[in-house]
Amino acid sequence: MRFFKTAQKAVKFAFVSMPLSVFGWRNISSNHRHLKDLVSTIRNPHCPMCDKGVMFVHRDAEADEKSLYPWTCSADCGFGVLTKRDQKSITEVLLPLIKKKGRAQLDGMSEEEQTSLIKSHTRQSRTFWAFAVLCPLIALYSLATSGMALTCISIFSMTLPFSILAVKWSYRAWQVRTGTLYVEGAFKQFVKRGLWIPGIDI
């Protein structure tokens, strides 16, 4: 029995793992998981304690006896809660606290402070848009100058995460400008109306 298991592992390594590694499958798979995590951070609620990170569940986290998962702050501030793994559950737990704190902070800001915050978020958004535009140009230049195909693909693949971050900060600026905080469906409408495109503020 042990012999067959060993043989099976050897065959898998020789005919699956090894060929895939040659084509950069591990890097592609790792990048895919990273992008998936990055997309989820746009919708995941911010940490109500430090306001620097977002709440997330580690990929290898295990549920407790009540099938609840530990959600922690991405900025490692120490704050955490136990709830189900889906975004709806963590939002329901934290939304009352975040909404109260966020509204108090926004209402307590002067017009100048709000304008400064909007400009800061907009500046970050446009910076990431610039990176998103540069990545395919650099990839094409590298390919034209006999660069390695995998290197070109890796550079080109960075366009998506930079675009996601650009949309994220554009959305944050729009939230402050309009006072639209924690409204269900707001992000969907923001995207559908094209408000994430630089220069459109309708």
Side-chain angles (χ1 to χ4, degrees):
M1 189 69 175
R2 182 178 299 177
F3 170 77
F4 287 110
K5 287 185 178 180
T6 303
Q8 186 178 18
K9 290 181 180 179
V11 171
K12 182 179 179 182
F13 176 79
F15 293 99
V16 179
S17 302
M18 196 68 161
L20 288 178
S21 66
V22 172
F23 291 103
W25 176 256
R26 291 180 181 175
N27 290 336
I28 294 173
S29 178
S30 177
N31 288 341
H32 173 72
R33 288 195 301 269
H34 176 71
L35 290 176
K36 187 177 180 181
D37 292 342
L38 186 59
V39 170
S40 69
T41 63
I42 296 180
R43 299 182 60 191
N44 285 2
H46 278 251
C47 175
M49 293 294 109
C50 68
D51 289 326
K52 295 179 180 179
V54 293
M55 303 301 295
F56 77 106
V57 179
H58 284 279
R59 190 179 298 111
D60 56 351
E62 296 182 358
D64 63 7
E65 63 276 4
K66 297 181 180 180
S67 299
L68 301 179
Y69 289 85
W71 287 75
T72 56
C73 173
S74 61
D76 295 325
C77 73
F79 178 76
V81 295
L82 285 173
T83 186
K84 294 181 181 178
R85 192 161 194 158
D86 58 285
Q87 291 178 334
K88 182 179 179 181
S89 297
I90 186 63
T91 300
E92 289 176 349
V93 171
L94 296 182
L95 186 57
L97 179 60
I98 296 175
K99 187 173 182 179
K100 181 179 179 180
K101 185 177 180 179
R103 178 57 63 182
Q105 289 178 335
L106 187 60
D107 292 342
M109 285 183 178
S110 65
E111 187 175 343
E112 291 77 12
E113 289 174 328
Q114 289 187 23
T115 301
S116 177
L117 187 59
I118 292 170
K119 288 182 178 179
S120 175
H121 290 343
T122 302
R123 186 164 51 248
Q124 291 187 72
S125 175
R126 290 178 177 173
T127 298
F128 284 119
W129 277 129
F131 287 144
V133 171
L134 283 173
C135 283
L137 296 178
I138 295 173
L140 288 173
Y141 175 79
S142 179
L143 188 62
T145 55
S146 302
M148 291 183 62
L150 287 178
T151 301
C152 297
I153 293 173
S154 297
I155 296 173
F156 184 81
S157 68
M158 292 303 297
T159 302
L160 183 57
F162 282 138
S163 299
I164 291 172
L165 290 170
V167 172
K168 174 182 177 179
W169 287 110
S170 178
Y171 179 59
R172 299 301 180 211
W174 177 78
Q175 283 184 300
V176 177
R177 183 168 57 251
T178 62
T180 309
L181 300 179
Y182 315 111
V183 177
E184 186 176 356
F187 179 74
K188 184 177 180 179
Q189 291 300 318
F190 172 80
V191 173
K192 287 178 65 175
R193 292 167 58 189
L195 301 177
W196 50 273
I197 301 174
I200 295 183
D201 301 321
I202 300 175

